[in-house]
Amino acid sequence: MGDYRRIADRIADDIASGRLRPGQRLPPQRTFARRRGIAPSTAGRVYGELVRRGLVVGEVGRGTFVRAAAPAPAGRALVESDEGAAPVNLELNYPCAPGQAELLAPVLAPLLRPDVLAEALSPAPATGTPEAREAAADLLATPGWRPDPERLLFTGNARQAIAAALASLVRPGGRVGVEQLTYPLVKEIAARLGITLVPLAGDAAGLLPEAVAAAHRTAPLSALYVQPTLHNPTALTTSGPRLLHLARLVHDLDLPVVEDRIWSFLHAPGVPLAAHAPALTHVVDGLSKRVAPGLTVGFLVVPPHRAGAVAHAVRSGGWSAGRFALEAAVRWTAEGTVARLVEAKRADATRRQRILAEELAGFTVRSGPRAYFAWWELPAPWRADTFTAAAAAHGIAVTPGPAFAVAPGHTPDAVRLGLASAPEPDLRRALRTLAHVAARRSGDRSGP
């Protein structure tokens, strides 16, 4: 873990000394990895660390550039760092309910018996076990929809479930429609699979069906990836009528869908797109947000005729779930532990939303009453890169808007705030600091 930070330190020294000049473009990550003799994933961490420190800015389709120093107003630094404040990471977004470990531990105890453990450490197929399929079907069920347990597959986490679904649906060079702002790891998955992402417009009700149809007419789409419930990063939930319209459209186009429902447990129960288009929709979900990121399972509900192809993708990608994690998930679900954690996290998200509303009152912030993230449209003249750098100078990490943008050159002047991971006092302090920073630069001195 420390290796990438040491490499980032050396790049930071080059920037400080002037060997790397403001505006200079860094090599593509794969080129950087090859020159340094490191893995591409390590290169990605180096670049991410440099962005976090505010030393570089990455723009989709253009590359990564050394950030130019902003002029200081009235002889004063653009930002004044908080030397004594502890760092607060609002990029991470893993909710942890009070007493979570105490709830989880007793259920795991039976798995540690030697006879049970031996079975739990054996390999698990993509189809899991009958008990796991029934437990997952119960967990994912909503009023009016319960997945058929025979259509459930399991992966190590939800990201692997997305990768498996797309790998089974789209050949290299294929086109996948996505919202204009989308989960950044979907962009990474697409790049590794050789898939082209096609950004699609939406409005306050969700993804626009006419945008899907127009993109499909231009060149056929192989699939559609959507987040209809608590879309990341905007927290938008697609309206019921719009969901029906989309379902009719994908049926008419015979267009497969990957429906990401990883945050849906926080929202009021609603019928998923899969209920309206079961023959085309691949539902992705998991335990990382509901339970914990360290011992997790990804779920895939697939159309009946797709089970074999998706299971093959899971196996060939090395994305199978661990048997121990599956056994733990079955017990946590059967004992009601997951349900208790969900209720606790809904209450926790509601409290954090109150903090967000209080500390960023007067700013343009998009979120939901029980969302664990928020999309902050920055006041002029802030740009996403300069605000991210200003936040980093105060020890606060935020995710710049361009990380979610699909279209090259589309760099929204916004940041995503992850509300889940920081303790509530630290979250309040960080949001208050960010409000001060935003108001000072924008000229609005009436803020908090």
Side-chain angles (χ1 to χ4, degrees), residues 280-314:
L280 292 164
T281 307
H282 304 63
V283 176
V284 170
D285 210 324
L287 291 184
S288 63
K289 311 301 184 185
R290 278 183 173 89
V291 180
L295 185 63
T296 188
V297 175
F299 306 126
L300 256 174
V301 183
V302 300
H305 63 289
R306 296 278 305 144
V310 182
H312 175 74
V314 171

Side-chain angles (χ1 to χ4, degrees), residues 34-35 68 155 187 206 209 211 225 227 235 241 262 272 336-337 350 373 446:
R34 188 171 61 252
R35 291 175 182 173
T155 59
K187 296 195 290 183
Y225 167 83
Q227 298 171 302
I262 193 67
T337 303
T350 300
F373 46 87
S446 64

Side-chain angles (χ1 to χ4, degrees), residues 67-73 76-79 382 386 441:
R67 194 176 69 82
R76 168 178 162 189
L78 170 64
V79 293
W382 281 109
T386 53
R441 180 80 186 279

